[in-house]
Amino acid sequence: MSAYPSISMPLHWAEAAFDDLFRNVTSSSRKLPAGSYLTSGTFPVIDQGERYIGGFTNDAGLVHEGALPAIVFGDHTRCIKYVSRPFVQGADGVKVLCPSTSINPRFCYWALIQADIPSKGYARHFAILRALRLPLAPLREQNRIVEAIESCLTRLDDAMATLERVQRNLKRYRASVLKAAVEGRLVPTEAELARAEGREYEPASVLLERIRAERRRRWEEAELAKLKAKGKVPKNDTWKAKYVEPAGPDTSELPELPEGWCWSSLGELFDIRVGATPSRAKPEFWNGGIPWVSSSEVSFCRITCTRETISEEGLRHSSTQLNPPGSVLLGMIGEGKTRGQAAILNIPACNNQNSAAIWVSTSGLPPEYVYYFLVGEYEVTRGRGSGNNQPALNKSRVQAIPIPLPPLAESHRIVREIDRHESVINSLEESSQLSHARCIRLRQSILKWAFEGRLVDQDPSDEPAQVLLERIRAKSAAGNGRKQPRPRRVNTRTANA
């Protein structure tokens, strides 16, 4: 099987069998199980994992006794590692290969990296590797190819490292913008502008009282409607005493806010609703016209459509509710990234029991202010979960989350300024991601060109690769004539035992 079936190699190249270029020198006894790895030590353990070094050991009796450099192949993972210093082989799924001394070992390594080894999942792949036929360049050209590959890839790796730094810096920049926003440092405060313009302004405390009064009014309307529906028209206002004022936060340990701001809590400002999942055993509850948000869809985004929908019947027969557009959803359950993530509903939609719907739109505040606050508080919000096996938030914990409240006009200016920064950040992130993807494609192209004979110039005076290959085979045959066992055969039987 050729590793490069679509490539027409230069005339002075040759196609070699895997066994022409490599010997399998895997040890059946000098290996270390993963459970015995140390976090530091004298000798690195090279195994089939993604990380170049799996662990360490101080046991000199396990050190690979064959020639160096060697190539370690992950039988299950297809990872390929070039090793030029004393090492200990990992115990599971490792094949140690010794390149022919007649060729550049780095050329062998890059040839294997470029080879097409199809994935069989966690099954073994060494049989596929041994069946490969590999391109072999003249020795002097091998040296030029290796030098060119490693020069190009070093510059490419530097570029990718720079792009990764850019992405990390953009993440920090976003965090600093969001932090400044909720500390009153992103835009001039309403108090500052009012003084400069010689006018009055409405502080957040007045906004908070208005929101509380409006919430009570809506409750009284809804409660009165329920009483009338039951034929119980109240004769006085004593029924209004049933209303429970939402609790504000404990501000004793909260930082001081700018002039005109005040502390509140999500439960004090907004209705918090927890959703539900209609019975999956009732097909008539599903595939209707009502969008239904699963917890995996709450992922720092705007929700304009949902993967699933429920019917009016499903809405009536479950405790979920139809949330108005502008509601902010907050993930409550999930040890992965879900808990603490937020999303804004651009559409009316129901949600499941793993997220809380914060009805921001009924307060007059811009939903984006609450959304951006939750984005910036992601790690803090996650830490508010409780439970041993799978920490989770619940409705009361969401209601208790303290939130800094700016004056209403200032909240809108804050959102506009965050949006402006987000536009710049998103553009830079997209550009860096595209550049990173181009670097990955260019890396693949460099290796492809190298083994098509197009990365460096050919020199007609170089000894043809076929002559080199015949010499390698003759040397191997002479070694067999001295009745020296071929390590590949011995170790293959041992490895497959």
Side-chain angles (χ1 to χ4, degrees):
M1 179 175 82
S2 174
Y4 308 84
S6 62
I7 294 175
S8 177
M9 295 182 298
L11 292 177
H12 59 293
W13 286 38
E15 190 175 67
F18 177 87
D19 288 348
D20 289 330
L21 306 183
F22 299 96
R23 289 184 297 115
N24 179 5
V25 294
T26 308
S27 173
S28 61
S29 58
R30 291 173 174 255
K31 55 186 181 180
L32 189 68
S36 300
Y37 291 3
L38 302 177
T39 55
S40 62
T42 308
F43 305 106
V45 181
I46 309 297
D47 58 19
Q48 65 172 341
E50 292 289 338
R51 288 166 43 188
Y52 180 74
I53 295 176
F56 294 88
T57 182
N58 294 318
D59 190 346
L62 295 178
V63 173
H64 171 68
E65 58 183 348
L68 293 174
I71 294 174
V72 171
F73 175 71
D75 204 357
H76 297 293
T77 63
R78 297 176 298 152
C79 288
I80 299 171
K81 303 175 182 180
Y82 184 89
V83 191
S84 58
R85 55 172 288 191
F87 73 100
V88 173
Q89 73 179 55
D92 299 322
V94 168
K95 298 293 183 182
V96 182
L97 310 175
C98 179
S100 168
T101 57
S102 299
I103 56 180
N104 188 317
R106 295 292 291 177
F107 180 87
C108 293
Y109 166 73
W110 289 117
L112 292 183
I113 291 290
Q114 175 60 11
D116 180 19
I117 308 173
S119 174
K120 294 174 61 180
Y122 201 69
R124 293 185 178 274
H125 295 82
F126 188 55
I128 299 175
L129 188 72
R130 286 195 64 196
L132 295 178
R133 299 190 66 81
L134 302 165
L136 182 66
L139 182 57
R140 290 202 299 174
E141 189 172 343
Q142 290 177 30
N143 298 334
R144 296 195 299 273
I145 288 172
V146 168
E147 182 180 0
I149 287 175
E150 297 183 353
S151 174
C152 291
L153 295 190
T154 295
R155 293 195 297 271
L156 202 55
D157 288 343
D158 289 343
M160 292 176 74
T162 299
L163 290 170
E164 289 167 1
R165 284 196 300 274
V166 167
Q167 291 169 3
R168 290 194 298 272
N169 288 337
L170 288 173
K171 185 177 180 180
R172 287 193 288 267
Y173 175 39
R174 173 180 282 116
S176 67
V177 168
L178 296 178
K179 186 173 186 293
V182 298
E183 292 179 350
R185 297 184 291 106
L186 188 62
V187 298
T189 66
E190 191 67 7
E192 292 169 343
L193 292 178
R195 276 195 299 273
E197 297 168 6
R199 59 173 173 83
E200 298 293 323
Y201 77 98
E202 179 186 83
S205 57
V206 175
L207 171 63
L208 176 58
E209 288 306 313
R210 189 166 66 249
I211 290 173
R212 290 170 64 97
E214 176 63 18
R215 290 192 62 185
R216 178 165 191 137
R217 185 192 66 78
R218 289 198 307 271
W219 178 88
E220 289 178 355
E221 284 184 356
E223 190 69 14
L224 184 58
K226 291 178 185 177
L227 291 171
K228 288 180 177 180
K230 296 176 181 179
K232 299 178 181 179
V233 180
K235 296 179 181 179
N236 52 49
D237 289 343
T238 56
W239 60 275
K240 294 182 180 180
K242 295 179 181 178
Y243 182 72
V244 178
E245 288 285 352
D250 177 3
T251 60
S252 60
E253 296 184 2
L254 294 175
E256 186 176 348
L257 292 174
E259 180 184 353
W261 289 49
C262 72
W263 282 104
S264 184
S265 65
L266 293 181
E268 187 178 27
L269 290 172
F270 316 113
D271 290 333
I272 309 291
R273 308 291 181 92
V274 175
T277 302
S279 173
R280 295 283 185 180
K282 300 283 188 179
E284 64 271 21
F285 290 176
W286 294 89
N287 301 316
I290 303 173
W292 182 82
V293 182
S294 66
S295 53
S296 63
E297 293 175 278
V298 181
S299 57
F300 293 139
C301 64
R302 285 186 174 271
I303 295 177
T304 57
C305 62
T306 60
R307 290 193 291 267
E308 294 185 277
T309 58
I310 62 174
S311 64
E312 292 284 352
E313 191 80 359
L315 178 59
R316 283 195 301 270
H317 289 84
S318 71
S319 58
T320 191
Q321 70 289 312
L322 189 61
N323 305 304
S327 298
V328 175
L329 300 183
L330 175 64
M332 297 193 300
I333 297 175
E335 188 49 36
K337 294 182 178 180
T338 305
R339 188 176 78 256
Q341 290 198 344
I344 298 181
L345 284 179
N346 278 9
I347 56 173
C350 298
N351 60 300
N352 74 0
Q353 65 277 9
N354 293 339
S355 61
I358 306 167
W359 286 22
V360 181
S361 56
T362 58
S363 68
L365 281 164
E368 292 80 4
Y369 178 79
V370 178
Y371 169 75
Y372 284 134
F373 164 74
L374 291 172
V375 173
E377 289 285 294
Y378 171 64
E379 293 296 343
V380 176
T381 303
R382 283 180 61 79
R384 297 181 187 276
S386 64
N388 294 327
N389 295 331
Q390 189 178 37
L393 297 167
N394 55 31
K395 182 177 179 179
S396 62
R397 289 178 181 273
V398 173
Q399 289 174 323
I401 293 174
I403 177 172
L405 182 64
L408 184 59
E410 190 173 338
S411 70
H412 286 279
R413 291 201 305 276
I414 288 171
V415 167
R416 287 195 295 270
E417 185 65 7
I418 294 176
D419 284 343
R420 187 181 70 81
H421 284 280
E422 280 291 308
S423 177
V424 174
I425 292 169
N426 290 337
S427 177
L428 292 173
E429 282 182 335
E430 182 179 355
S431 177
S432 67
Q433 288 165 3
L434 288 172
S435 296
H436 195 274
R438 290 191 191 102
C439 286
I440 292 173
R441 290 195 298 271
L442 181 55
R443 183 185 185 91
Q444 295 167 343
S445 296
I446 288 168
L447 292 175
K448 183 174 182 289
W449 296 333
F451 293 96
E452 288 176 346
R454 297 192 292 138
L455 187 62
V456 300
D457 293 334
Q458 278 86 46
D459 186 340
S461 65
D462 288 344
E463 177 188 68
Q466 187 61 41
V467 176
L468 171 63
L469 181 58
E470 289 170 0
R471 188 163 61 250
I472 292 170
R473 288 171 175 168
K475 184 177 180 180
S476 176
N480 290 338
R482 291 193 298 268
K483 299 182 180 180
Q484 295 177 354
R486 297 184 67 183
R488 175 187 60 76
R489 293 177 179 171
V490 172
N491 284 285
T492 299
R493 288 200 299 270
T494 302
N496 293 334

